[in-house]
Amino acid sequence: NSIIGDHYRWPHTIPYVLEDSLEMNAKGVILNAFERYRLKTCIDFKPWSGEANYISVFKGSGCWSSVGNIHAGKQELSIGTNCDRIATVQHEFLHALGFWHEQSRADRDDYVTIVWERILADREHNFNIYNDSVSDSLNVPYDYNSVMHYSKTAFQNGTESTIITRISDFEDVIGQRMDFSDYDLLKLNQLYNCTSSLSFMDSCDFELENICGMIQSSRDTADWQRVSQVLGGPENDHSNMGQCKDSGFFMHFNTSTGNEGAKAVLESRVLYPKRGFQCLEFYLYNSGSGNDQLNIYTREYTAGHQDGVLTLQREIKEIPTGSWQLYYVTFKVTEKFRVVFEGLGGPDASSGGLSIDDINLSETRCPHHVWHIQNFTQLLGGQNINVYSPPFYSPEGYAFQISMYIEALTNVGIYFHLISGANDDQLQWPCPWRQATMTLLDQNPDIRQRMSNQRSITTDPTMTNDNGSYFWDRPSKVGVVASFPNGTQYSRGRGYGTSVFITHKRLKSREFIKGDDLYVLLTVEDISHLNSTAAVPDPVPTSTVQNACSEVECQNGGICTVQDGRPECKCPAGEDWWYMGKRCETRGSTRDTIVIAVSSTVTVFAVMLIITLVSVYCTRRRYRKKASANAAAMNLENQHAF
Amino acid sequence: APEKFVKDIDGGLDQDIFDINEDLGLDLFEGDIRLEAHGR
């Protein structure tokens, strides 16, 4: 449901500024939202460096945006208090990219009924329909699942729904704020003529016989087989879980043949990296022995290495048997490469082997940890229950734990707790500016079609409890004593999160629970570098850059950058105005230029006219003199002639 | 028994964009659009 007019479009890479006014958590969430655009669309974002138009994301009152590129130079988009949810940011940026709300489409009355008497007084105008002279639904069907759709309770004056979907199954679907829907992406990619995305590389569920162009290696003793079930397990693949007849394939390496040292190698097609870092995700099922092993390599085709350079990225051993397990492997590859899966049969007897399915590869950051909850459905059994994750460590060594608070009927909450850990004596307390991102994984086989539910919180070291103690101080100081299942005692800090992470209904939708397994992906990253000046969200690379610019004060919103080691001011400019000068101290505009041009033309014209007049006058005077001289000469001659 | 040794950033409310803006007294176009001359 897009705004009509090419002039409302942005370039594929949108310049932005994260203003200092933004909350720290909001800054991190906005950068995470950009990663979702980079994975699923061809829209990218870059720090503003003087382009005519850019989006200034600031902490205004509420969450709002303009629709489309309005060529204002600095186009504001507000992410205020409580707007720091990733889907809210995606929603507001979709407005900026040129999209209206879904239920304002010209054809909406075919799909929803507006209950006008239940709408807040004077808010009825928020439910207007706009005909196709103003907005274009791009030939895409009405989308109840759009991240741009109002919820059923929008602008309600009581407790009754203001929007009733004509297909009742969608009543609790509208208003989702998890991620882009498939149709959201279809429209956006169509509007911006997207042919590829920045960070997606490959997704394979082995449903097609060509197995995504993967190849069997000849340097092994066995092949991986494309099968739909294995006697010793699994009974079905991970993609469809046996739901669909005559489909549901995966790759299997049979280790029950008993040949010790049996090896089967499967290589991906050649892949071409752009960003230099990758995340491999796949599901693995072990029905062989506990010693069967899977090694992950990359084969990088660097100069002078015809066959590529094989690098062992991860050895996966002691693979749990009897269920599909989710694995992540991080790469840092810069040249074209293949991913290599090497299955190794262990020495012990096996009645099955190794199986892999639902591979996804993207140039994104892998989650730091995975909380795998098995037999999840029984936890939804109808009573309030708290579930705690195992302990994890952040990259710098902060120990933490996640708790999930499952209410009997309505919502599921999720909270981040710092806990006592082995490194506490070496760490900084209160814990400063760590952003914890908790993602409930939608286990769709294709990473591009997932609508994972994500929330982030950030540890503000200045935050205090009611008793004045620091919220993020050492858990052994401000926490409570708790015990792990094995009886070991530890201190658990207060939880920080939300009691309304997801509703039961949404949790049971899509593929959040699959094979009775649920996954929460966890990342805890240091975002203290975002505490710097507005326009530079990435850490400043070297101190010289900082020194060079720190002595320079660019005026009128200019940004200091370093060119060839010298600080330079990038001056802001709009459609018909700009700043110039060493420090952007001088303002220029097309109007001034026109005035100058016209006045100089007039001046030149006047000067030319004067010169012309003077030269005509002189010429005429000279000829007059000459003429009179000639006449005199003639007289004289005549006098003598006769 | 589920302990509530937690701090809820949403205060237990699942507020959508429009609820947040309404509570702030913003009467933006369709709840969260700052309208330019779009012909709407």
Side-chain angles (χ1 to χ4, degrees), chain B residues 4-37:
Chain B
K4 296 296 281 182
F5 186 53
V6 295
K7 182 176 173 100
D8 188 339
I9 50 182
D10 295 329
L13 291 174
D14 190 4
Q15 285 203 303
D16 197 2
I17 297 166
F18 316 107
D19 306 316
I20 293 167
N21 292 348
E22 277 296 305
D23 286 358
L24 291 165
L26 307 177
D27 183 11
L28 292 161
F29 180 76
E30 291 196 0
D32 72 332
I33 293 174
R34 183 156 86 167
L35 209 53
E36 320 303 328

Side-chain angles (χ1 to χ4, degrees), chain A residues 271-571:
Chain A
L271 298 155
Y272 295 81
K274 301 174 199 154
R275 301 178 92 181
F277 58 89
Q278 299 81 23
C279 178
L280 173 71
E281 174 201 272
F282 60 92
Y283 285 84
L284 175 61
Y285 189 107
N286 183 12
S287 57
S289 79
N291 298 327
D292 288 359
Q293 178 173 329
L294 179 69
N295 294 334
I296 306 294
Y297 296 84
T298 50
R299 182 189 298 282
E300 197 172 0
Y301 294 92
T302 51
H305 293 93
Q306 182 81 15
D307 290 342
V309 176
L310 211 53
T311 307
L312 178 61
Q313 299 287 353
R314 175 85 174 274
E315 286 183 319
I316 301 177
K317 303 176 177 178
E318 294 154 19
I319 305 163
T321 55
S323 67
W324 287 102
Q325 307 280 332
L326 173 62
Y327 287 87
Y328 286 93
V329 182
T330 294
F331 302 152
K332 283 188 173 52
V333 177
T334 53
E335 305 291 335
K336 68 179 182 180
F337 70 103
R338 295 179 193 270
V339 179
V340 179
F341 294 83
E342 177 192 70
L344 295 175
D348 303 349
S350 151
S351 60
L354 295 175
S355 304
I356 52 177
D357 199 4
D358 292 356
I359 300 174
N360 280 283
L361 182 66
S362 55
E363 293 206 281
T364 55
R365 303 289 181 194
C366 279
H368 294 157
H369 300 285
V370 177
W371 177 19
H372 178 190
I373 306 177
Q374 294 178 284
N375 310 316
F376 184 80
T377 311
Q378 68 182 6
L379 297 176
L380 292 174
Q383 55 176 351
N384 294 348
I385 184 170
N386 240 359
V387 185
Y388 288 96
S389 77
F392 299 109
Y393 280 102
S394 78
E396 306 83 15
Y398 286 98
F400 68 92
Q401 180 178 48
I402 305 300
S403 68
M404 190 179 278
Y405 182 61
I406 304 169
E407 287 173 3
L409 299 172
T410 49
N411 292 310
V412 175
I414 198 164
Y415 300 90
F416 173 82
H417 302 256
L418 285 177
I419 63 174
S420 52
N423 313 297
D424 288 3
D425 294 339
Q426 288 78 42
L427 293 170
Q428 187 182 344
W429 299 101
C431 173
W433 307 120
R434 275 11 181 222
Q435 182 168 58
T437 298
M438 302 166 278
T439 306
L440 175 64
L441 180 67
D442 174 8
Q443 299 182 66
N444 185 299
D446 187 334
I447 192 171
R448 294 166 295 182
Q449 295 174 44
R450 291 174 181 168
M451 295 174 66
S452 296
N453 193 57
Q454 182 181 108
R455 289 300 295 271
S456 298
I457 62 101
T458 297
T459 63
D460 175 349
T462 63
M463 190 163 96
T464 55
N465 293 308
D466 299 345
N467 63 8
S469 62
Y470 282 110
F471 191 99
W472 297 110
D473 208 336
R474 287 181 70 136
S476 54
K477 263 174 77 177
V478 299
V480 294
V481 175
S483 303
F484 290 119
N486 65 4
T488 310
Q489 287 206 325
Y490 66 101
S491 299
R492 178 194 298 143
R494 203 169 160 207
Y496 194 61
T498 173
S499 59
V500 288
F501 179 59
I502 192 169
T503 62
H504 280 231
K505 262 203 164 181
R506 289 199 195 283
L507 178 61
K508 291 170 184 169
S509 71
R510 304 193 63 78
E511 298 180 77
F512 292 114
I513 305 171
K514 192 167 186 176
D516 213 9
D517 290 325
L518 180 134
Y519 289 95
V520 180
L521 312 180
L522 303 167
T523 293
V524 177
E525 57 185 323
D526 179 357
I527 62 167
S528 48
H529 62 281
L530 296 180
N531 223 346
S532 65
T533 48
V536 186
D538 299 320
V540 176
T542 57
S543 59
T544 48
V545 170
Q546 207 145 12
N547 296 338
C549 273
S550 54
E551 285 121 40
V552 170
E553 176 70 34
C554 298
Q555 299 168 30
N556 300 311
I559 301 287
C560 177
T561 57
V562 178
Q563 305 293 335
D564 310 328
R566 281 181 296 107
E568 278 187 7
C569 286
K570 293 265 185 198
C571 302

Side-chain angles (χ1 to χ4, degrees), chain A residues 607-621:
Chain A
V607 169
M608 296 295 286
L609 185 64
I610 292 165
I611 291 168
T612 311
L613 292 174
V614 167
S615 50
V616 164
Y617 171 71
C618 297
T619 312
R620 288 186 56 178
R621 208 174 69 166

Side-chain angles (χ1 to χ4, degrees), chain A residues 15-17 46-52 54 535 559 561 563 570-571:
Chain A
Y16 71 90
V17 168
K46 65 184 278 291
W48 176 58
S49 59
E51 293 83 355
Y54 67 97
I559 301 287
T561 57
Q563 305 293 335
K570 293 265 185 198
C571 302

Side-chain angles (χ1 to χ4, degrees), chain A residues 16-35 38 57-59 78-80 83-86 89 93 433 435 437 454 456-458 525-538:
Chain A
Y16 71 90
V17 168
L18 299 187
E19 302 296 351
D20 277 348
S21 59
L22 285 166
E23 293 169 2
M24 282 292 281
N25 193 54
K27 287 181 180 176
V29 166
I30 291 160
L31 295 177
N32 288 338
F34 290 171
E35 282 303 306
R38 291 179 179 122
V57 195
F58 77 116
K59 181 183 180 181
S78 173
I79 299 296
C83 305
D84 54 341
R85 300 182 184 193
I86 191 164
V89 175
F93 270 91
W433 307 120
Q435 182 168 58
T437 298
Q454 182 181 108
S456 298
I457 62 101
T458 297
E525 57 185 323
D526 179 357
I527 62 167
S528 48
H529 62 281
L530 296 180
N531 223 346
S532 65
T533 48
V536 186
D538 299 320

